[in-house]
Amino acid sequence: MELQYLIFMVIILALIFDFINGFHDTANAIATSVNTRALHPNHAIMMAAGLNFFGAMVSTGVAKTIGGDIVSSASLINEKIIIAALIGAIIWNLLTWWFGIPSSSSHALIGGLIGAVLISVGMSGLNWYGIGKIVAGLIASPAIAFVTGIIIMNIIFRLFEKFPPNFINDKFRKMQVVSAAMIAFSNGSNDAQKSMGIITLALFSGGYISEFEVPLYVKILCAGAMAIGTASGGWRIIKTVGGKIFKLEPPSGFAADLNSSCVVFGATLLHLPVSTTHVVSGSIMGVGTAKRVNAVRWGVAQQMVKAWGMTIPITAAIGALTFAAVEAVF
């Protein structure tokens, strides 16, 4: 009976995390198109919600990485550990949302799981090679997005340098509808799978499924929770991503969205969990740098990078403390 209750708690908390991830990361998919007025905010959010759902249904590779590459063995992990990890990630996501800081839900979940495993099982409970691979992807993805953002923006400059600004802005504002749809779909394809992986890990370690395969109902629940969260909006972070890093125009907004969607979906195909928040921010910094280095508000960018660096250590600490509390209660 206790095991069933704990499994139920894991599923509820994972869906809450997914819901928060949806409105926390809504900004990633729509901030640029809203900021350049390519899309009305409400229309942008509804489109992002729908495409988040469909994106979440296309693959389970990232879910298997989250569920299988962080811990050394599912048999060492119990539901209390997963509950602590989820609470740690949820607390951090709510704090960063409240202050309008575009931090990473991926980092938060991984940090919470690491802290909970360390205090409960010890170093042997973690798959350090798998964690290294995941962290390398999380660090490399915004750097790649920054570089490719510069390249894509320079290509656009070269191709359209002889056209009048009004013509360019009008055309790219229409094209941004497509690029915003692409980043919304790719966001769903990567982010919703993190909760899928956590729920599947709990079901597998509890003996409810015989192999580590994501059940269809888990996919639908997680995709739906993220889509509903996205539909709720995330205006605090939209303001930071959409306008405080770099003053976006339709061509640069299109370039940032196109670049971000390619990087995130490429990671999904490689089964690597990445932070859409970091990728989009890296893309915006890249397209801004292509225009003019001092056009980017590097002070805001520096604050964001600091928050990124703090996420895993802080959520690991919260995850560890939460596990101690959960262990005392149960």
Side-chain angles (χ1 to χ4, degrees):
M1 180 63 73
E2 182 184 354
L3 178 61
Q4 290 178 343
Y5 176 69
L6 292 174
I7 288 285
F8 180 74
M9 280 191 65
V10 167
I11 294 172
I12 294 300
L13 285 170
L15 294 178
I16 291 172
F17 171 81
D18 230 2
F19 173 83
I20 294 169
N21 191 9
F23 76 71
H24 192 276
D25 287 358
T26 298
N28 303 327
I30 67 170
T32 56
S33 56
V34 169
N35 187 259
T36 60
R37 299 184 181 180
L39 284 168
H40 185 278
N42 292 334
H43 297 163
I45 285 179
M46 289 301 106
M47 181 190 74
L51 288 168
N52 272 179
F53 180 87
F54 289 114
M57 300 297 291
V58 301
S59 170
T60 57
V62 173
K64 292 177 181 177
T65 298
I66 288 288
D69 282 10
I70 297 177
V71 298
S72 58
S73 172
S75 62
L76 297 174
I77 306 304
N78 60 38
E79 288 67 31
K80 297 175 186 178
I81 293 172
I82 299 173
I83 287 169
L86 285 166
I87 291 174
I90 287 169
I91 290 172
W92 181 251
N93 270 359
L94 289 174
L95 282 173
T96 51
W97 166 78
W98 180 256
F99 290 104
I101 302 169
S103 73
S104 167
S105 299
S106 306
H107 284 204
L109 184 58
I110 291 165
L113 192 54
I114 288 173
V117 172
L118 277 176
I119 197 171
S120 59
V121 181
M123 299 278 283
S124 62
L126 295 170
N127 176 359
W128 292 104
Y129 172 77
I131 291 171
K133 182 178 71 173
I134 291 170
V135 170
L138 289 168
I139 293 172
S141 54
I144 292 169
F146 177 80
V147 174
T148 52
I150 293 174
I151 294 169
I152 289 176
M153 197 67 236
N154 277 317
I155 291 172
I156 289 174
F157 282 147
R158 292 290 179 89
L159 291 176
F160 295 93
E161 61 184 350
K162 295 182 180 178
F163 290 86
N166 288 340
F167 174 83
I168 294 173
N169 287 335
D170 182 59
K171 294 298 180 185
F172 275 99
R173 192 172 281 114
K174 293 175 182 176
M175 291 167 65
Q176 263 197 285
V177 177
V178 177
S179 63
M182 290 172 64
I183 185 59
F185 182 86
S186 61
N187 181 29
S189 76
N190 201 280
D191 273 18
Q193 290 194 53
K194 290 146 194 173
S195 291
M196 293 181 201
I198 289 294
I199 292 175
T200 305
L201 176 61
L203 293 172
F204 183 60
S205 64
Y208 286 88
I209 55 176
S210 58
E211 57 181 348
F212 198 94
E213 290 291 337
V214 181
L216 178 61
Y217 68 87
V218 172
K219 291 175 68 174
I220 293 172
L221 283 173
C222 291
M226 186 173 181
I228 294 169
T230 299
S232 302
W235 301 111
R236 294 173 185 271
I237 295 173
I238 286 173
K239 291 177 182 177
T240 301
V241 174
K244 291 186 179 179
I245 301 172
F246 165 67
K247 183 174 173 53
L248 290 162
E249 297 169 343
S252 53
F254 171 81
D257 282 350
L258 176 65
N259 183 51
S260 299
S261 64
C262 291
V263 173
V264 173
F265 198 69
T268 299
L269 294 176
L270 293 172
H271 300 170
L272 287 174
V274 295
S275 167
T276 310
T277 306
H278 293 191
V279 170
V280 172
S281 299
S283 292
I284 293 173
M285 292 176 203
V287 299
T289 300
K291 182 176 182 179
R292 195 173 64 254
V293 173
N294 60 6
V296 178
R297 298 181 179 93
W298 294 107
V300 175
Q302 188 178 27
Q303 291 174 0
M304 289 168 55
V305 171
K306 286 179 181 178
W308 298 350
M310 292 163 55
T311 299
I312 288 181
I314 289 177
T315 51
I318 296 173
L321 291 171
T322 305
F323 176 80
V326 170
E327 186 78 351
V329 172
F330 297 100

